[in-house]
Amino acid sequence: MTNALRTLSAKAAADLDRELMSSGAFSLDQLMELAGLSVSQAVYRVHPPSSKPKVLIACGPGNNGGDGLVAARHLYHYKYQPSIYYPKQPKNELYERLVVQLKDLGIPFVTDFHAALKDAHQVVDAIFGFSFTGEVREPFPSVISALAATSLPVLSVDAPSSWDIESGPPSSGPGKDFHPTALISLTAPKPLVKHFKGRHFVGGRFLTKKMADKYGIDVPEYEGVDQVKELGQGWLRAWMRGADEEGN
Amino acid sequence: MTNALRTLSAKAAADLDRELMSSGAFSLDQLMELAGLSVSQAVYRVHPPSSKPKVLIACGPGNNGGDGLVAARHLYHYKYQPSIYYPKQPKNELYERLVVQLKDLGIPFVTDFHAALKDAHQVVDAIFGFSFTGEVREPFPSVISALAATSLPVLSVDAPSSWDIESGPPSSGPGKDFHPTALISLTAPKPLVKHFKGRHFVGGRFLTKKMADKYGIDVPEYEGVDQVKELGQGWLRAWMRGADEEGN
């Protein structure tokens, strides 16, 4: 499976993040800046600001939400008109600073997701990432239902929110029919991608070959100074063939 | 002078940095990551890795050197072969982490600048930035003399090292005849740019309009997702004309 990118389980993704921030000597500030930058570049690839300037960014309470906050700042500088839905803002020094940076740009924080959705051209789903398990808690069930129902383009960060990281779309609940139009996998695709049919990007251009080998993943072939790489349609077929050959 | 970018004095640049990190709520990690990313994109614009892969990055003891360390990591991921000359490594948690990140990529740290220069295709001068004043201290005089004498392309970060931030090239000393081929001004050009004749970029795509207005500078017209903007030949003439009109 030499031309197949390999995937990273939820546990391995958490281990890799911990290793990047311990022996890898990255700070969370730095990693989140690079992750959010990748997200913003994926948004730009799919719908540049000339076509869909109004981006509604739904941010969850953890690091996935933080990536969304960083992406929003970059999108503003690319001349989008971002707005943020961030209903659960934990007491966290980094997230609080990212919020100040957005407020200094005059970026609105909305409280009614459904009203904001009516005014948006596209959505970034930065609600839950690779550490999501179990139930979708309030106020997110109705948000995820709305994302499942909307005809707007949705780009999910690392995982379509409410999907199981290993097994993909839930068999019941608000995310049952949620199939976003695009996905950006951070550092490496998670196993859920085999259920994903939209445009698929990988971001996070800081992974060393040594770390990639240790975790059984690949460093994508980024081009130029790009911080994202789109995986072509052939990738998933190659990946599934590779998985089959290994008896998975 | 509506089409002239305005400049930032050394004192104003220091004040702006402090304000970004206090009320602006940016961390130094974040700002340095974005500055170094800009530097790496300027290097790519001038000489892509296919033409001049071996980049020698000379890093000074302060934040200018830190920007160089970040740039080196990005350049590695763009498929350059960076090497680092970093003779004065202060005890500083952020710089130490940036060094670990480079060593994890196998990027060599060289101790003999002159030998390393013979093997390089191009150089990044990240020795001194906007806080430089006075004398060039050891071991940098001979390094700056070598940069003045080399026929290799040199890109300076924020200032040609040893230049006075306000008045430009020194009238004596190792930097007397140092005219790098390219310059990247971070956040805004410094007054020394009126003495600079090479390719000129601006980077640091995080400045708010409010801050730019407060400091009497302009937000460059970046394109797409670019983190750098090249200022055309017309810019300096327009800037000097504007300065003349204001009686400067």
Side-chain angles (χ1 to χ4, degrees):
Chain A
M1 46 185 294
T2 50
N3 62 355
L5 282 169
R6 294 164 287 175
T7 63
L8 198 56
S9 71
K11 183 183 174 305
D15 289 346
L16 192 153
D17 258 17
R18 262 193 299 274
E19 189 163 348
L20 283 169
M21 288 189 278
S22 54
S23 63
F26 283 88
S27 68
L28 183 55
D29 274 55
Q30 227 186 334
L31 291 175
M32 198 166 278
E33 191 63 33
L34 293 170
L37 180 70
S38 295
V39 172
S40 71
Q41 292 195 357
V43 170
Y44 196 98
R45 291 273 191 99
V46 180
H47 297 292
S50 53
S51 74
K52 299 198 184 292
K54 294 185 181 174
V55 191
L56 174 58
I57 298 153
C59 297
N63 285 346
N64 205 250
D67 297 339
L69 297 173
V70 171
R73 172 164 37 81
H74 288 289
L75 290 170
Y76 173 91
H77 288 296
Y78 303 160
K79 305 195 201 310
Y80 287 90
Q81 298 157 40
S83 56
I84 315 288
Y85 174 70
Y86 192 28
K88 294 276 175 195
Q89 303 186 19
K91 271 236 158 290
N92 173 299
E93 188 257 349
L94 171 54
Y95 305 156
E96 285 168 352
R97 286 195 290 97
L98 296 174
V99 166
V100 170
Q101 292 164 23
L102 296 175
K103 291 190 170 169
D104 276 351
L105 292 167
I107 294 173
F109 281 67
V110 301
T111 51
D112 183 339
F113 182 79
H114 304 278
L117 192 63
K118 288 199 181 80
D119 190 45
H121 298 136
Q122 59 171 314
V123 185
V124 172
D125 157 26
I127 302 175
F128 302 125
F130 66 75
S131 56
F132 173 77
T133 51
E135 292 293 298
V136 176
R137 298 222 177 80
E138 291 298 337
F140 295 109
S142 79
V143 172
I144 290 168
S145 294
L147 292 179
T150 186
S151 58
L152 296 179
V154 178
L155 177 123
S156 289
V157 177
D158 227 19
S161 294
S162 81
W163 283 30
D164 185 87
I165 302 307
E166 314 296 323
S167 60
S171 55
S172 64
K176 181 178 176 303
D177 298 309
F178 177 35
H179 291 277
T181 42
L183 172 71
I184 176 165
S185 297
L186 296 172
T187 318
K190 313 302 173 292
L192 58 76
V193 295
K194 61 174 168 283
H195 301 281
F196 177 73
K197 311 251 187 306
R199 288 181 70 175
H200 182 197
F201 299 84
V202 178
R205 196 173 181 178
F206 48 75
L207 191 66
T208 65
K209 180 76 173 62
K210 196 167 63 180
M211 286 280 265
D213 287 347
K214 176 171 176 183
Y215 285 88
I217 54 178
D218 300 287
V219 177
E221 281 290 323
Y222 294 98
E223 284 165 40
V225 300
D226 291 353
Q227 299 294 316
V228 287
K229 168 73 182 176
E230 183 163 7
L231 301 179
Q233 297 294 331
W235 171 80
L236 187 61
R237 286 194 297 276
W239 181 78
M240 296 191 73
R241 200 163 52 236
D244 284 348
E245 283 163 11
E246 290 189 350
N248 295 322
Chain B
M1 47 185 294
T2 50
N3 62 355
L5 281 169
R6 293 165 288 175
T7 64
L8 198 56
S9 71
K11 182 184 175 304
D15 289 346
L16 193 153
D17 258 16
R18 262 193 298 274
E19 189 163 347
L20 283 169
M21 288 188 276
S22 53
S23 63
F26 282 88
S27 68
L28 183 56
D29 275 56
Q30 227 187 331
L31 291 175
M32 198 165 277
E33 190 63 33
L34 292 170
L37 180 70
S38 294
V39 172
S40 71
Q41 292 195 356
V43 171
Y44 195 97
R45 291 273 191 100
V46 180
H47 297 291
S50 54
S51 73
K52 297 195 185 293
K54 294 185 182 175
V55 191
L56 174 58
I57 298 155
C59 297
N63 285 346
N64 206 250
D67 297 340
L69 297 174
V70 171
R73 171 164 36 82
H74 289 289
L75 290 170
Y76 173 91
H77 288 296
Y78 304 160
K79 306 194 200 310
Y80 287 89
Q81 297 158 39
S83 56
I84 315 287
Y85 175 70
Y86 192 28
K88 293 277 177 193
Q89 303 185 19
K91 272 235 159 291
N92 172 299
E93 187 257 349
L94 171 54
Y95 306 157
E96 285 168 353
R97 285 195 288 100
L98 295 174
V99 166
V100 171
Q101 292 164 24
L102 296 174
K103 290 189 172 168
D104 276 351
L105 292 167
I107 294 173
F109 280 68
V110 302
T111 52
D112 183 338
F113 182 81
H114 305 277
L117 193 62
K118 289 200 181 80
D119 190 44
H121 298 137
Q122 58 171 314
V123 185
V124 172
D125 157 27
I127 302 175
F128 302 125
F130 66 75
S131 57
F132 173 78
T133 52
E135 292 293 298
V136 177
R137 298 220 176 82
E138 290 301 336
F140 295 108
S142 79
V143 172
I144 290 169
S145 293
L147 291 180
T150 185
S151 58
L152 295 180
V154 177
L155 177 120
S156 288
V157 177
D158 227 21
S161 293
S162 81
W163 282 30
D164 185 88
I165 302 307
E166 314 296 323
S167 61
S171 55
S172 63
K176 182 177 176 300
D177 298 309
F178 176 35
H179 291 277
T181 42
L183 171 69
I184 176 165
S185 295
L186 294 171
T187 317
K190 312 303 173 294
L192 57 77
V193 294
K194 61 175 169 282
H195 302 281
F196 177 74
K197 310 251 189 306
R199 289 182 71 175
H200 182 198
F201 299 83
V202 178
R205 197 173 182 178
F206 48 74
L207 192 66
T208 66
K209 181 75 174 59
K210 195 167 65 179
M211 286 280 266
D213 287 347
K214 176 171 175 181
Y215 286 88
I217 53 178
D218 299 287
V219 178
E221 283 288 324
Y222 295 98
E223 284 165 40
V225 300
D226 291 353
Q227 300 293 317
V228 288
K229 168 74 183 175
E230 183 163 8
L231 302 179
Q233 297 295 331
W235 171 81
L236 187 61
R237 286 194 298 275
W239 181 79
M240 295 193 74
R241 200 161 53 237
D244 283 350
E245 282 163 11
E246 290 188 351
N248 296 322

